[in-house]
Amino acid sequence: MIKLRIIFFLLFAASHTTYAQLSTQEIAILKINMVKAVEDSKLTDSLFNKLSKLPNKTALITGYTGTLEALKAKHSWNPYNKIRYVSRSLKTMQKAIDMDEENMEIRFMRFSIEFYTPSFLGFSKDLAKDKKEIVKHYQNESFGLADRELVKNVAKFMIDSKKCSPAEVKILTKHL
Protein backbone atom coordinates (compact mmCIF):
# COMPACT_ATOMS: atom_id res chain seq x y z
CA MET A 1 0.00 0.00 0.00
CA ILE A 2 2.81 2.41 0.87
CA LYS A 3 4.61 1.54 -2.39
CA LEU A 4 1.43 2.32 -4.33
CA ARG A 5 1.15 5.73 -2.64
CA ILE A 6 4.78 6.48 -3.41
CA ILE A 7 4.29 5.52 -7.07
CA PHE A 8 1.21 7.76 -7.34
CA PHE A 9 3.10 10.63 -5.67
CA LEU A 10 6.04 10.25 -8.05
CA LEU A 11 3.76 10.11 -11.10
CA PHE A 12 1.88 13.19 -9.91
CA ALA A 13 5.09 15.09 -9.17
CA ALA A 14 6.66 14.09 -12.48
CA SER A 15 3.63 15.18 -14.48
CA HIS A 16 3.56 18.57 -12.77
CA THR A 17 7.26 19.23 -13.22
CA THR A 18 7.04 18.26 -16.88
CA TYR A 19 4.40 20.92 -17.54
CA ALA A 20 5.26 23.56 -14.95
CA GLN A 21 8.08 25.28 -16.82
CA LEU A 22 7.79 28.56 -14.93
CA SER A 23 7.18 29.16 -11.25
CA THR A 24 4.45 31.51 -10.04
CA GLN A 25 7.09 34.15 -9.40
CA GLU A 26 8.56 33.71 -12.90
CA ILE A 27 5.09 34.08 -14.43
CA ALA A 28 4.53 37.28 -12.42
CA ILE A 29 7.84 38.66 -13.75
CA LEU A 30 6.89 37.51 -17.26
CA LYS A 31 3.63 39.45 -17.05
CA ILE A 32 5.49 42.62 -16.04
CA ASN A 33 7.97 42.11 -18.87
CA MET A 34 5.16 41.48 -21.39
CA VAL A 35 3.85 44.98 -20.68
CA LYS A 36 7.35 46.42 -21.19
CA ALA A 37 7.78 44.37 -24.39
CA VAL A 38 4.98 46.34 -26.05
CA GLU A 39 7.52 49.16 -26.51
CA ASP A 40 10.77 47.16 -26.48
CA SER A 41 11.58 44.94 -29.47
CA LYS A 42 14.74 43.50 -27.87
CA LEU A 43 12.78 42.41 -24.80
CA THR A 44 10.10 40.95 -27.08
CA ASP A 45 12.73 38.86 -28.89
CA SER A 46 14.38 37.79 -25.64
CA LEU A 47 11.12 36.67 -24.05
CA PHE A 48 10.01 34.94 -27.25
CA ASN A 49 13.29 33.00 -27.46
CA LYS A 50 13.07 31.97 -23.80
CA LEU A 51 9.49 30.73 -24.07
CA SER A 52 10.07 29.04 -27.43
CA LYS A 53 12.76 26.83 -25.88
CA LEU A 54 10.46 25.47 -23.16
CA PRO A 55 9.34 21.88 -23.73
CA ASN A 56 5.72 20.80 -23.26
CA LYS A 57 4.28 24.32 -23.04
CA THR A 58 1.16 24.82 -20.96
CA ALA A 59 -1.80 26.61 -22.54
CA LEU A 60 -0.89 29.84 -20.76
CA ILE A 61 2.76 29.74 -21.89
CA THR A 62 1.55 28.99 -25.43
CA GLY A 63 -0.72 32.04 -25.15
CA TYR A 64 2.16 34.24 -24.02
CA THR A 65 4.22 32.93 -26.95
CA GLY A 66 1.40 33.88 -29.33
CA THR A 67 1.20 37.33 -27.79
CA LEU A 68 4.94 37.79 -28.26
CA GLU A 69 4.58 36.80 -31.92
CA ALA A 70 2.00 39.59 -32.26
CA LEU A 71 4.44 42.00 -30.61
CA LYS A 72 7.09 40.92 -33.11
CA ALA A 73 4.63 42.05 -35.80
CA LYS A 74 4.22 45.39 -34.05
CA HIS A 75 7.97 45.92 -33.93
CA SER A 76 8.65 44.80 -37.51
CA TRP A 77 9.05 47.48 -40.18
CA ASN A 78 8.44 45.06 -43.07
CA PRO A 79 4.70 44.77 -44.00
CA TYR A 80 5.13 41.17 -45.17
CA ASN A 81 6.72 40.18 -41.84
CA LYS A 82 4.00 42.02 -39.91
CA ILE A 83 1.30 39.95 -41.62
CA ARG A 84 3.30 36.75 -41.24
CA TYR A 85 3.84 37.31 -37.50
CA VAL A 86 0.17 38.17 -36.89
CA SER A 87 -0.94 35.09 -38.81
CA ARG A 88 1.47 32.90 -36.84
CA SER A 89 0.39 34.59 -33.60
CA LEU A 90 -3.27 33.81 -34.15
CA LYS A 91 -2.48 30.17 -34.98
CA THR A 92 -0.52 29.93 -31.73
CA MET A 93 -3.36 31.58 -29.82
CA GLN A 94 -5.84 29.08 -31.28
CA LYS A 95 -3.56 26.27 -30.14
CA ALA A 96 -3.52 27.76 -26.62
CA ILE A 97 -7.32 28.06 -26.59
CA ASP A 98 -7.68 24.49 -27.85
CA MET A 99 -5.53 23.44 -24.87
CA ASP A 100 -7.64 25.41 -22.36
CA GLU A 101 -10.87 26.86 -23.72
CA GLU A 102 -11.93 28.20 -20.33
CA ASN A 103 -8.84 30.31 -19.65
CA MET A 104 -9.96 33.94 -19.53
CA GLU A 105 -6.42 35.29 -19.76
CA ILE A 106 -5.74 33.46 -23.03
CA ARG A 107 -9.07 34.60 -24.46
CA PHE A 108 -8.21 38.17 -23.48
CA MET A 109 -4.77 37.97 -25.10
CA ARG A 110 -6.34 36.87 -28.39
CA PHE A 111 -9.07 39.51 -28.09
CA SER A 112 -6.50 42.27 -27.62
CA ILE A 113 -4.38 41.04 -30.56
CA GLU A 114 -7.40 40.98 -32.86
CA PHE A 115 -8.63 44.31 -31.48
CA TYR A 116 -5.39 46.05 -32.45
CA THR A 117 -5.06 44.30 -35.82
CA PRO A 118 -6.64 46.31 -38.67
CA SER A 119 -9.93 44.63 -39.52
CA PHE A 120 -9.37 44.86 -43.29
CA LEU A 121 -6.64 42.22 -42.93
CA GLY A 122 -9.28 39.65 -41.96
CA PHE A 123 -7.58 38.55 -38.74
CA SER A 124 -10.30 39.77 -36.36
CA LYS A 125 -12.72 36.88 -36.77
CA ASP A 126 -12.79 35.78 -33.11
CA LEU A 127 -13.47 39.14 -31.43
CA ALA A 128 -17.17 38.48 -30.77
CA LYS A 129 -16.57 34.91 -29.61
CA ASP A 130 -13.78 35.92 -27.22
CA LYS A 131 -15.76 38.89 -25.91
CA LYS A 132 -18.68 36.58 -25.14
CA GLU A 133 -16.40 34.13 -23.30
CA ILE A 134 -14.68 36.90 -21.33
CA VAL A 135 -17.99 38.45 -20.27
CA LYS A 136 -19.23 34.98 -19.29
CA HIS A 137 -16.30 34.69 -16.87
CA TYR A 138 -17.26 38.02 -15.30
CA GLN A 139 -20.92 37.08 -15.12
CA ASN A 140 -20.08 33.78 -13.40
CA GLU A 141 -17.21 35.31 -11.43
CA SER A 142 -14.99 32.45 -12.56
CA PHE A 143 -11.52 33.86 -13.11
CA GLY A 144 -9.43 30.75 -12.61
CA LEU A 145 -5.90 31.67 -11.56
CA ALA A 146 -6.19 35.30 -12.70
CA ASP A 147 -5.23 37.73 -9.94
CA ARG A 148 -7.37 40.70 -8.89
CA GLU A 149 -5.29 43.20 -10.88
CA LEU A 150 -5.64 41.20 -14.10
CA VAL A 151 -9.40 40.87 -13.57
CA LYS A 152 -9.67 44.64 -13.12
CA ASN A 153 -7.43 45.46 -16.11
CA VAL A 154 -9.28 43.10 -18.44
CA ALA A 155 -12.63 44.61 -17.42
CA LYS A 156 -11.30 48.11 -18.04
CA PHE A 157 -9.87 47.16 -21.45
CA MET A 158 -13.11 45.47 -22.49
CA ILE A 159 -15.15 48.54 -21.52
CA ASP A 160 -12.72 50.92 -23.23
CA SER A 161 -12.75 48.78 -26.40
CA LYS A 162 -16.33 49.91 -27.09
CA LYS A 163 -17.08 46.34 -28.27
CA CYS A 164 -19.43 45.58 -25.36
CA SER A 165 -23.14 46.20 -25.09
CA PRO A 166 -24.52 48.28 -22.20
CA ALA A 167 -25.56 45.06 -20.42
CA GLU A 168 -22.04 43.63 -20.81
CA VAL A 169 -20.48 46.89 -19.59
CA LYS A 170 -22.70 46.68 -16.50
CA ILE A 171 -21.39 43.16 -15.75
CA LEU A 172 -17.76 44.23 -16.28
CA THR A 173 -18.10 47.43 -14.23
CA LYS A 174 -18.84 45.41 -11.08
CA HIS A 175 -15.21 44.24 -11.13
CA LEU A 176 -13.43 47.59 -11.47
Side-chain angles (χ1 to χ4, degrees), residues 13 40 64 70 77 104 116:
D40 186 339
Y64 288 140
W77 60 269
M104 183 192 75
Y116 284 116

Side-chain angles (χ1 to χ4, degrees), residues 37 40-52 68 71-73 75 85:
D40 186 339
S41 65
K42 289 183 195 280
L43 182 57
T44 297
D45 291 339
S46 171
L47 293 172
F48 179 79
N49 290 335
K50 178 182 178 182
L51 295 185
S52 294
L68 288 163
L71 289 176
K72 287 170 85 60
H75 297 307
Y85 282 131

Side-chain angles (χ1 to χ4, degrees), residues 123-164:
F123 289 127
S124 302
K125 66 184 183 330
D126 297 305
L127 275 172
K129 182 177 10 175
D130 289 339
K131 176 192 74 158
K132 181 181 174 185
E133 284 297 314
I134 292 166
V135 171
K136 181 181 85 174
H137 283 279
Y138 281 84
Q139 193 167 11
N140 297 337
E141 296 191 9
S142 60
F143 305 114
L145 299 175
D147 60 33
R148 178 72 190 125
E149 179 146 356
L150 178 65
V151 170
K152 182 179 172 183
N153 289 338
V154 169
K156 183 172 178 2
F157 184 94
M158 296 302 293
I159 292 166
D160 292 347
S161 76
K162 306 285 191 233
K163 297 285 184 187
C164 297

Side-chain angles (χ1 to χ4, degrees), residues 70-155:
L71 289 176
K72 287 170 85 60
K74 177 190 184 294
H75 297 307
S76 177
W77 60 269
N78 183 319
Y80 172 77
N81 286 339
K82 284 182 176 288
I83 291 172
R84 191 171 54 113
Y85 282 131
V86 170
S87 177
R88 194 180 304 164
S89 165
L90 293 174
K91 286 177 185 167
T92 303
M93 294 308 297
Q94 185 59 54
K95 182 178 175 185
I97 289 170
D98 290 344
M99 293 168 74
D100 187 358
E101 292 180 1
E102 295 298 315
N103 189 306
M104 183 192 75
E105 188 172 358
I106 297 170
R107 291 284 185 161
F108 173 68
M109 286 187 275
R110 182 170 73 177
F111 180 90
S112 62
I113 292 166
E114 290 188 3
F115 177 79
Y116 284 116
T117 302
S119 61
F120 70 85
L121 293 174
F123 289 127
S124 302
K125 66 184 183 330
D126 297 305
L127 275 172
K129 182 177 10 175
D130 289 339
K131 176 192 74 158
K132 181 181 174 185
E133 284 297 314
I134 292 166
V135 171
K136 181 181 85 174
H137 283 279
Y138 281 84
Q139 193 167 11
N140 297 337
E141 296 191 9
S142 60
F143 305 114
L145 299 175
D147 60 33
R148 178 72 190 125
E149 179 146 356
L150 178 65
V151 170
K152 182 179 172 183
N153 289 338
V154 169

Side-chain angles (χ1 to χ4, degrees), residues 19-57:
Y19 286 98
Q21 300 102 22
L22 299 177
S23 68
T24 305
Q25 183 179 6
E26 289 172 315
I27 288 178
I29 292 167
L30 175 61
K31 287 180 181 186
I32 291 166
N33 284 330
M34 294 285 288
V35 173
K36 293 176 185 176
V38 171
E39 300 302 328
D40 186 339
S41 65
K42 289 183 195 280
L43 182 57
T44 297
D45 291 339
S46 171
L47 293 172
F48 179 79
N49 290 335
K50 178 182 178 182
L51 295 185
S52 294
K53 291 176 184 173
L54 293 174
N56 303 319
K57 292 176 190 63

